[in-house]
Amino acid sequence: MPRPAFAAAAFLGLALALSPTTTRSAELAPAPRGSSAALDALLLAEVKERSELMKNLQYMSDVIGPRLTGSKNLERANNWTAEKMKAYGLENVRLEPWEIPVGWVRGKATMRLVDPDNGRELAIASYGWTPGTGGKKTGKVVVLTARTKADLDAHRGKLKDATVLLSAPKEVKPITDLNYPAPAGPSAGQPRKDEPKLPDPKSSTDPKATDLRQSGLDAVTEFLKAEGAACVCTDAGKPHGLLVTTGGWPADRAAAEARLPRVFMAHEHYALLHRLATRPDATTKVEVEIENTFVPGPVTVYNTVGEVTGGEKPDEFVVVGAHLDSWELASGTTDNATGSCVVLEIARTVAALAKAGERPRRTIRFVLFTGEEQGLHGSKKYCERHKDELPRHSAALVHDTGTGKVHGLGLHGRTAVREVLEPQLGALAKVDGWKGLDMRGMGGTDHLSFHAAGVPGFACLQDIDEYRLTHHTQSDTFDKAKEPNLVQGAQVLGVAVVRIANLPELLPRK
Ligand SMILES: [Zn+2]
């Protein structure tokens, strides 16, 4: 790609100055301070030529591994990312503590068909922060699609040690359709993160659902618990044996232990069990054993935070973040080691630019949140902890939809921000895959905590790639990561963040 002569010359200067292997770097004069466009070019080139993204991503995925909030692995990831930030030259690197009420460790979860006794094992994965079965439980398989309390009463006295299916199997698209045209329904065309969800009578549109809609799913699970059911099963709803998990912690350990064991089951096995259990005079039985354990709380967890201090307005901030925590069926690569390593890569680049004389006007704060998967907790805690600084936060930008290219930033209808930001992002026109600012918003990740606290919060809108298929599953592994797309994401987000940090004013908040 042709480059303006000035930018090319400046890049060469910076390339020498930034190269970690050259011993001459300390002797070289910093690259001359140029125009904003020249700075964009420097940043784009630095990320492209010297990215450490994949090296970091592999370490985080394969060596540190899954990073459940409250786990030792996540604490290792906190320490490792803090050390990386220090090595990259960030300032004020620290771990900001917060607490969760109870920790959780996934144990073995097995299920097998007992009637018919045909040797089939059924693949299951526990819902987070649910208890074990306390040994093997053998009982009937019951399909319970109760919509009213009277429906529930029909099952009274018949559910001891039962495995309960709460709905018909999901409709699972063939894998050849997984490029996902816009989903049908009210959210059609809206960017979204498809978090797995349990069926919830509260959201039922069934007019008969009144009784249970009042009290939600709890009315059903309380009934099942009182009746001594062994566990509740939900269709993982994904193709080719994929399991999935989600869930969050309750207020305390007692409440966690009082829960009913709950699992996701591979779609094929769920459909099999449903077919068997809905035959006339079915006597379908399974044996289930789940061995999860709770860690007494409170458990201290951490957000990793580091900064490149602003040269002119050090007390004003732009946050660029991603969540470091993951689910633990695999290595949490695309949810969200990818975003975390994009943030680290921008940190490396911005710190290198600062060292070369291109310090941002405002402080850029790099934050790796935790507890995102259980309800955006780490970013909420950040907003509480930094409450007094929030009026001086220009924006918070988040990368959290896996390995696809960043095609836009979702502005949540903030037209005033678009007017200020759009003229700043001209350099991205040459970045493959970038389409432009987008007035839509996105749910399900940490920018929403800032949005709720009054700070403009934006998520990267990304090509979906395999994200809807793999995240939260046992297939969220390093081999899914696509280097060019992640480098592109670091370029786009890096340019946007530096441009916001260098604006004359904070972004408008209307
Ligand atoms: Zn995520």
Side-chain angles (χ1 to χ4, degrees):
M1 178 191 319
R3 265 173 222 287
F6 172 81
F11 164 64
L12 284 175
L14 186 70
L16 287 169
L18 300 186
S19 168
T21 51
T22 175
T23 51
R24 297 175 53 220
S25 60
E27 303 149 26
L28 286 175
R33 182 177 279 273
S35 65
S36 300
L39 181 57
D40 292 337
L42 284 174
L43 188 149
L44 292 173
E46 177 59 27
V47 173
K48 191 174 165 70
E49 305 301 327
R50 242 171 303 285
S51 161
E52 295 190 7
L53 222 155
M54 294 304 274
K55 193 177 77 171
N56 288 339
L57 186 63
Q58 188 184 352
Y59 189 88
M60 199 181 281
S61 299
D62 293 348
V63 180
I64 294 175
R67 302 168 303 283
L68 189 69
T69 296
S71 69
K72 286 288 166 219
N73 278 9
L74 180 57
E75 199 171 326
R76 260 176 233 129
N78 283 124
N79 290 323
W80 181 77
T81 50
E83 289 311 311
K84 272 282 160 207
M85 286 182 180
K86 286 178 192 164
Y88 288 157
L90 269 66
E91 295 130 355
N92 304 322
V93 176
R94 73 267 186 186
L95 302 185
E96 292 187 348
W98 57 281
E99 286 180 349
I100 67 173
V102 54
W104 181 75
V105 180
R106 180 183 300 277
K108 206 172 71 175
T110 55
M111 191 182 283
R112 68 179 183 90
L113 268 174
V114 171
D115 179 359
D117 182 13
N118 63 11
R120 291 300 304 271
E121 299 267 349
L122 306 168
I124 56 173
S126 289
Y127 191 91
W129 276 265
T130 56
T133 49
K136 287 180 178 160
K137 297 281 162 77
T138 303
K140 279 188 303 188
V141 176
V142 176
V143 177
L144 188 148
T145 51
R147 288 291 173 268
T148 66
K149 287 200 169 96
D151 292 345
L152 282 186
D153 283 338
H155 292 274
R156 207 173 283 282
K158 301 174 187 169
L159 294 172
K160 177 78 181 137
D161 291 335
T163 284
V164 179
L165 313 187
L166 286 179
S167 61
K170 290 179 184 167
E171 189 194 337
V172 173
K173 295 185 182 197
I175 199 159
T176 44
D177 283 353
L178 284 171
N179 283 328
Y180 282 86
S187 62
Q190 289 291 320
R192 58 190 192 135
K193 292 183 71 218
D194 267 358
E195 300 297 338
K197 286 198 173 56
L198 283 174
D200 182 353
K202 269 193 282 195
S203 61
S204 171
T205 50
D206 180 348
K208 286 192 303 177
T210 343
D211 282 9
L212 300 180
R213 208 188 300 160
Q214 300 293 335
S215 43
L217 192 64
D218 288 347
V220 179
T221 48
E222 271 167 29
F223 173 81
L224 296 176
K225 179 94 186 158
E227 292 292 312
C231 74
V232 167
C233 240
T234 301
D235 186 351
K238 289 175 182 270
H240 296 207
L242 283 172
L243 287 164
V244 72
T245 191
T246 189
W249 48 75
D252 56 40
R253 183 179 174 181
E257 281 172 348
R259 286 175 161 180
L260 191 65
R262 178 176 293 173
V263 295
F264 284 99
M265 179 178 283
H267 170 69
E268 294 85 345
H269 293 166
Y270 190 93
L272 163 68
L273 214 48
H274 189 270
R275 287 193 300 271
L276 287 171
T278 50
R279 288 174 306 158
D281 306 318
T283 56
T284 313
K285 276 188 182 168
V286 293
E287 176 195 85
V288 58
E289 183 171 25
I290 303 167
E291 299 179 336
N292 303 328
T293 49
F294 294 101
V295 180
V299 178
T300 302
V301 299
Y302 307 90
N303 294 330
T304 305
V305 182
E307 297 171 351
V308 173
T309 313
E312 292 172 33
K313 295 169 183 272
D315 294 335
E316 293 186 358
F317 303 93
V318 181
V319 165
V320 55
H323 70 87
L324 185 60
D325 66 299
S326 75
W327 284 107
E328 21 63 290
L329 296 183
S331 49
T333 296
T334 67
D335 193 10
N336 186 19
T338 43
S340 299
C341 291
V342 163
V343 168
L344 280 180
E345 179 59 19
I346 299 168
R348 185 190 70 77
T349 301
V350 171
L353 288 167
K355 201 175 165 192
E358 295 287 357
R359 186 166 285 278
R361 182 176 282 175
R362 291 183 183 77
T363 295
I364 299 180
R365 192 176 270 169
F366 302 87
V367 189
L368 299 175
F369 305 106
T370 50
E372 191 272 354
E373 294 293 2
Q374 292 77 30
L376 317 183
H377 295 285
S379 50
K380 287 176 192 162
K381 293 290 176 186
Y382 173 94
C383 289
E384 281 172 33
R385 185 186 188 96
H386 296 277
K387 193 163 173 280
D388 295 346
E389 292 173 348
L390 292 185
R392 290 178 277 112
H393 275 54
S394 187
L397 292 91
V398 162
H399 187 291
D400 182 25
T401 319
T403 201
K405 281 184 180 138
V406 175
H407 62 76
L409 290 174
L411 296 187
H412 287 265
R414 292 178 185 264
T415 46
V417 168
R418 182 174 62 187
E419 282 161 28
V420 175
L421 202 50
E422 201 150 65
Q424 297 290 323
L425 303 180
L428 299 184
K430 287 189 215 154
V431 174
D432 186 37
W434 171 254
K435 291 179 186 153
L437 296 172
D438 195 311
M439 293 316 289
R440 296 175 297 176
M442 190 174 77
T445 189
D446 290 305
H447 68 292
L448 293 179
S449 302
F450 291 85
H451 205 66
V455 176
F458 311 126
C460 292
L461 304 181
Q462 295 177 244
D463 296 338
I464 206 68
D465 285 53
E466 290 179 279
Y467 188 76
R468 290 204 181 118
L469 188 60
T470 57
H471 81 129
H472 293 214
T473 77
Q474 74 274 40
S475 185
D476 188 2
T477 45
F478 180 72
D479 49 288
K480 307 301 180 303
K482 296 173 185 165
E483 180 170 16
N485 297 357
L486 294 170
V487 165
Q488 185 266 8
Q491 288 181 311
V492 166
L493 196 52
V495 165
V497 163
V498 169
R499 283 286 183 150
I500 293 169
N502 285 340
L503 285 170
E505 307 291 338
L506 298 174
L507 283 178
R509 300 201 164 204
K510 289 189 301 241

